[in-house]
Amino acid sequence: MTGRVKGKVALVTGGASGLGKSTAELLVAEGARVAVTDIDEAAGRAVVDRVNASSAASAIFLRHDVTDEDQWKSVLGDVTESFGGLHILVNNAGISLTRNVEELELEEWRRVHAVDLDSVFLGCKHAIKDIAVSGGGSIVNISSIAGIIAGHNMAAYNSAKAAVRHLSKSVALHCARKGYNIRCNSVHPAFVDTPILDEHRERFGAEEALRKLGRQVPLGRVGLPVEVAYGILYLASDESTFTTGSELIIDGGISAM
């Protein structure tokens, strides 16, 4: 199957690496034009250059601090000006922090929630009108299996990702009630081989970190970014036009235990 999002315009936050990079590349491969946003300008532009080398003028890069409301307004304006509209928003940008509730400092708590939750709120709030004007589409919010299953040492991350899950449902119901033709769903990956695991790599070494995390997964390994990107592609495409307010779990079986 090809051209699954042909003619659509997408914005992917945190698109310079990891899951965002894989998602942006897959959306372009399936026919979309994509705005890649990130605070890492060099890496983001490199992603766009690679994509455009094989599919000319399919992607642009925009520097974007997702915790800044004014930057959200500016970025969305640039996207609609460059591509003529917006149909897909993938709120992917995020950070992780391993701290239990007693170790966690208030500023750390606020930072995790700013990046992982506030950014999703801002993206949904300000992108809805652009997607509605473009005829409707899909918002895909990247949560985590940690938004469904808690850990003793992930207090802020658990809290933020669980909130993304319920925020997505609220947005879905709001858009349905307003008749905007906008779907909103959350995606819940388990451990995926992206930079968000760097904290574990630094602690245990790259190979041992993946082995340790993989032992917690029934399928016996850490996931690949493209395996999650295909789930995002489904939710972004018209294949999912009757799916809203739902969560897509891509966790190698962890939540089945």
Side-chain angles (χ1 to χ4, degrees):
M1 189 181 298
T2 57
R4 295 169 66 184
V5 285
K6 185 176 181 180
K8 297 188 183 296
V9 175
L11 190 166
V12 180
T13 69
S17 63
L19 181 53
K21 172 179 175 291
S22 186
T23 299
E25 291 172 343
L26 184 58
L27 289 172
V28 168
E30 291 292 340
R33 289 174 293 168
V34 178
V36 173
T37 79
D38 208 291
I39 58 172
D40 188 339
E41 187 166 351
R45 291 194 182 281
V47 170
V48 167
D49 288 346
R50 285 194 299 272
V51 166
N52 285 336
S54 58
S55 184
S58 291
I60 59 172
F61 173 78
L62 297 168
R63 193 184 187 285
H64 186 194
D65 176 352
V66 292
T67 68
D68 186 315
E69 185 168 20
D70 287 338
Q71 286 195 31
W72 266 106
K73 295 175 183 178
S74 176
V75 161
L76 287 165
D78 289 343
V79 173
T80 56
E81 182 178 348
S82 296
F83 290 139
L86 179 68
H87 308 96
I88 299 161
L89 170 63
V90 182
N91 278 310
N92 166 76
I95 58 174
S96 181
L97 182 66
T98 303
R99 295 278 196 281
N100 67 46
V101 68
E102 290 188 286
E103 296 170 335
L104 192 62
E105 299 292 338
L106 179 58
E107 284 308 308
E108 293 174 321
W109 168 270
R110 287 174 172 164
R111 178 60 179 164
V112 170
H113 281 79
V115 177
D116 291 358
L117 175 59
D118 295 354
S119 70
V120 177
F121 158 71
L122 291 171
C124 293
K125 174 180 174 63
H126 292 293
I128 282 174
K129 62 177 175 56
D130 292 325
I131 299 174
V133 166
S134 300
S138 177
I139 297 173
V140 184
N141 295 327
I142 308 306
S143 177
S144 168
I145 195 61
I148 297 174
I149 299 171
H152 70 94
N153 60 348
M154 301 290 287
Y157 191 68
N158 284 147
S159 172
K161 291 300 188 179
V164 167
R165 178 178 181 240
H166 255 52
L167 173 60
S168 300
K169 293 177 184 296
S170 180
V171 171
L173 294 173
H174 167 72
C175 290
R177 187 179 184 88
K178 289 288 189 178
Y180 288 151
N181 189 32
I182 298 173
R183 310 180 310 283
C184 184
N185 297 283
S186 57
V187 176
H188 300 259
F191 311 116
V192 179
D193 192 3
T194 70
I196 207 165
L197 300 185
D198 285 349
E199 182 180 0
H200 300 280
R201 292 187 181 93
E202 291 169 7
R203 182 177 178 186
F204 301 109
E207 292 185 9
E208 181 58 22
L210 294 182
R211 280 196 294 267
K212 286 177 72 68
L213 294 172
R215 286 195 290 269
Q216 301 178 50
V217 181
L219 287 182
R221 63 175 176 85
V222 166
L224 301 174
V226 72
E227 294 175 306
V228 180
Y230 271 109
I232 297 168
L233 172 63
Y234 163 71
L235 292 174
S237 76
D238 289 342
E239 297 159 19
S240 62
T241 49
F242 200 55
T243 303
T244 196
S246 297
E247 53 276 317
L248 177 58
I249 298 172
I250 307 175
D251 71 347
I254 288 177
S255 58
M257 296 191 296

